[in-house]
Amino acid sequence: MAENAKHLLLVDDEAALREAIAERLADHGFIVEQAANGEDALARLSEFAFDIIVTDLRLPGVDGRAVLESALERYPEIIAIIITGFGTVKDAVNAIKQGAADFLTKPFQFDSLLHVLNSALEQRRLRSENAYLRSQLEDRYRIDGLVGRSRVMRDLSQLLETVAATTSTVLITGETGTGKELAARAIHHGSPRRANRFVAINCSAIPETLLEAELFGHARGAFTGAVGTRQGRLEQAHKGTLFLDEIGTMSPALQAKLLRVLQEREFERVGDVHTIKIDVRVIAATHSDLARMVAEGTFREDLFYRLNVIPVQLPALRERRDDIPLLVQHFLEKLGAEQVPPRHVTMSQDALRRLMGYAWPGNVRQLENVVERALAFSHGRAQIDVPDLGPDIQNLPTTPDEGNPWFPDEGMDLERYIEGVELTLIKRSLERTQGNKVQAARLLNLKRTTLIEKLKRLERGQPGVA
Ligand SMILES: Nc1ncnc2c1ncn2[C@@H]1O[C@H](COP(=O)(O)OP(=O)(O)OP(=O)(O)O)[C@@H](O)[C@H]1O
Ligand SMILES: [Mg+2]
């Protein structure tokens, strides 16, 4: 028990009894502190988060009930054991109702105390394990298929979780294949709207004239070919989520109409005068730089601000290379299970290194395609290796990376290269610590003074003297 010995506060006014119990508890590995009265117990509780409190109910001054109440209020996770006098079972029952784990009636055998303590600890352990499992399941549900344990992805899933609870409009940006649609679905599935529809519409895939009718629906005869009245995607998403993909391609006229929907939560079908009220959460996505389009006058500024209430930026895959092994495993499992018969295939470390060194302009989608191709080329072998990766990954230069640096054909300036890497890593560690040099130095396993010297020297661009 030594490595996680439990801290126990023992409260009793009978000194001899208290000291005897304390000694035996210490023999069993508990770290025991003693309090002789209620005031002392309260003071100790305010200073230290004990795992366990064992208290007599009848104490001079502040009594055991008050001590118990204060302990449980401050520390909902504390294990409280009550000691009562003979014939006061009613008090004990009340204490249990208050949240005590168990009680003992004086006089008691030390072994019964030990038994009560151990079973309470075991119960607590099971409960927290269950809570952990449950929270893991919920986590999986919440981030909903977004694989990644890198720092950026953990921050992202936390953001998505927070955003999901609101009805705010969200603008998701990121390069192609970074998982913008996946993130939008994750928000919907984590939101109170999950029981209703997630309706996706790709603004760039539909010709402008049709997009309006697609979005807003149309009345009969609104235009040639509009044979019946039709509900638009907006109406289909009522009480749910509307995902507007590639919002940057929307025409100015439609931008104005969308702005009205976001502001007034109402619209009319094409060719109809009847106004329809709508309750919809809008998530938009784009791989273009909307702020720049606003500056250039190709995207409405007011719409941009309406959409950009909560910006969510998806990182490029090359910015989270540490997630590549996890993603590969995920795709191998997913794609392997789809094969007939299902296959269980692994990736060699060598192949994995290549994948981690590649720049991934097409991000996760491209990685998924490469894994799929490799699976096909592995011809039933149990492990994928470098030749299965195809010429694109094998022959394309990898980006310079300290774990897998690219060696150019024409040779290189080694010192300058190393200094570049040093400077990049120092800057990154400073970014991560918001400029705190002590913490940054610790992250780099450097002395603070060494970090400052290096930074000065590297920024002056002077070659260092080792
Ligand atoms: N974090 C991730 N974990 C698992 N799969 C992912 C992740 N990110 C993306 N994918 C997968 O990659 C593919 C591309 O994702 P998605 O369609 O969401 O990207 P996108 O950003 O919308 O791309 P585009 O800009 O090209 O529309 C999908 O098959 C998706 O399942
Ligand atoms: Mg997409």
Side-chain angles (χ1 to χ4, degrees):
M1 150 168 288
E3 75 275 17
N4 63 351
K6 300 294 177 197
H7 292 269
L8 184 150
L9 178 63
L10 179 60
V11 194
D12 200 314
D13 58 329
E14 286 177 55
L17 175 72
R18 190 183 66 232
E19 267 156 25
I21 296 176
E23 199 170 305
R24 296 203 59 184
L25 282 172
D27 288 345
H28 282 82
F30 292 91
I31 300 166
V32 185
E33 279 192 42
Q34 304 179 36
N37 56 57
E39 285 82 2
D40 192 15
L42 290 181
R44 284 169 190 275
L45 281 168
S46 70
E47 281 165 15
F48 189 80
F50 292 91
D51 301 296
I52 304 160
I53 178 170
V54 178
T55 181
D56 195 345
L57 268 191
R58 207 146 295 169
L59 295 170
V62 176
D63 79 348
R65 227 182 319 269
V67 171
L68 177 68
E69 193 180 310
S70 162
L72 287 167
E73 187 186 69
R74 195 188 296 264
Y75 308 113
E77 290 297 302
I78 201 169
I79 293 174
I81 309 286
I82 299 304
I83 301 170
T84 61
F86 181 71
T88 53
V89 175
K90 214 169 152 218
D91 291 344
V93 171
N94 284 335
I96 300 279
K97 281 189 188 151
Q98 232 180 298
D102 212 335
F103 70 94
L104 290 161
T105 310
K106 274 184 189 174
F108 57 85
Q109 300 281 324
F110 177 77
D111 280 352
S112 354
L113 171 60
L114 207 56
H115 175 73
V116 161
L117 279 175
N118 285 333
S119 63
L121 281 168
E122 176 66 8
Q123 250 178 45
R124 180 58 45 89
R125 194 180 61 76
L126 287 176
R127 216 181 67 193
S128 63
E129 231 165 55
N130 282 339
Y132 173 72
L133 286 177
R134 223 177 310 121
S135 77
Q136 277 216 319
L137 283 178
E138 281 165 10
D139 267 351
R140 277 182 95 147
Y141 182 62
R142 274 197 228 110
I143 61 167
D144 208 46
L146 274 172
V147 175
R149 250 183 257 146
S150 58
R151 196 188 166 78
V152 270
M153 287 305 279
R154 281 202 309 252
D155 289 350
L156 178 74
S157 65
Q158 213 164 51
L159 175 64
L160 294 182
E161 213 176 284
T162 311
V163 163
T166 72
T167 43
S168 302
T169 304
V170 181
L171 179 63
I172 303 179
T173 54
E175 291 178 15
T176 178
T178 45
K180 295 187 291 296
E181 179 158 357
L182 211 55
R185 288 180 189 275
I187 293 173
H188 174 73
H189 286 295
S191 81
R193 296 173 172 259
R194 70 173 76 96
N196 301 304
R197 292 186 65 180
F198 175 89
V199 178
I201 180 164
N202 187 334
C203 305
S204 71
I206 303 170
E208 134 116 70
T209 45
L210 292 184
L211 184 57
E212 184 177 359
E214 189 69 30
L215 204 51
F216 298 106
H218 60 74
R220 202 167 110 191
F223 49 84
T224 326
V227 275
T229 299
R230 223 186 102 206
Q231 251 194 8
R233 299 291 179 97
L234 203 48
E235 270 172 87
Q236 291 171 354
H238 185 55
K239 297 210 176 293
T241 305
L242 178 70
F243 178 53
L244 295 170
D245 207 355
E246 303 298 353
I247 189 87
T249 62
M250 198 178 253
S251 72
L254 261 186
Q255 286 178 32
K257 289 189 173 151
L258 178 61
L259 180 67
R260 175 167 167 235
V261 174
L262 292 177
Q263 277 172 345
E264 320 285 342
R265 303 281 153 181
E266 62 181 36
F267 68 97
E268 289 93 31
R269 291 180 184 155
V270 177
D272 202 343
V273 290
H274 175 64
T275 299
I276 298 172
K277 286 270 175 204
I278 190 104
D279 166 20
V280 70
R281 194 241 187 108
V282 174
I283 302 179
T286 179
H287 67 262
S288 20
D289 184 350
L290 282 192
R292 211 185 64 206
M293 291 178 67
V294 168
E296 287 167 355
T298 48
F299 199 84
R300 286 184 73 113
E301 187 171 20
D302 43 10
L303 179 59
F304 174 65
Y305 287 116
R306 277 278 164 199
L307 290 172
N308 203 30
V309 178
I310 303 181
V312 171
Q313 163 95 50
L314 291 199
L317 184 54
R318 64 185 164 282
E319 284 161 20
R320 53 179 191 108
R321 288 169 200 273
D322 43 337
D323 279 336
I324 289 177
L326 213 63
L327 282 161
V328 167
Q329 221 175 335
H330 168 72
F331 291 133
L332 281 176
E333 270 168 29
K334 191 182 99 176
L335 298 166
E338 286 167 6
Q339 308 249 315
V340 186
R343 291 174 60 198
H344 179 74
V345 185
T346 59
M347 175 90 55
S348 79
Q349 287 298 97
D350 194 10
L352 209 48
R353 277 194 293 277
R354 304 281 168 120
L355 297 180
M356 290 172 78
Y358 183 59
W360 300 109
N363 295 293
V364 185
R365 180 182 294 107
Q366 189 188 5
L367 176 63
E368 185 172 8
N369 292 340
V370 165
V371 172
E372 188 170 1
R373 178 190 189 283
L375 207 57
F377 275 76
S378 65
H379 299 297
R381 271 176 288 116
Q383 189 171 69
I384 291 174
D385 213 341
V386 177
D388 306 322
L389 295 180
D392 36 355
I393 308 295
Q394 289 177 57
N395 300 340
L396 273 175
T398 56
T399 50
D401 177 305
E402 66 283 8
N404 188 2
W406 176 38
F407 186 69
D409 290 340
E410 65 279 13
M412 69 189 305
D413 181 340
L414 181 63
E415 273 186 16
R416 190 166 291 273
Y417 178 83
I418 304 259
E419 283 177 355
V421 173
E422 259 190 314
L423 187 61
T424 306
L425 293 178
I426 289 176
K427 282 187 172 160
R428 282 211 188 131
S429 70
L430 283 167
E431 268 166 37
R432 184 162 303 173
T433 62
Q434 270 103 41
N436 183 322
K437 292 193 174 116
V438 177
Q439 282 174 26
R442 198 176 303 139
L443 286 178
L444 293 165
N445 194 23
L446 291 177
K447 280 196 274 190
R448 188 185 61 93
T449 45
T450 313
L451 178 130
I452 292 170
E453 271 167 35
K454 270 186 189 293
L455 193 60
K456 272 194 203 145
R457 194 190 75 224
L458 292 168
E459 282 184 338
R460 278 202 308 266
Q462 286 173 1
V465 187

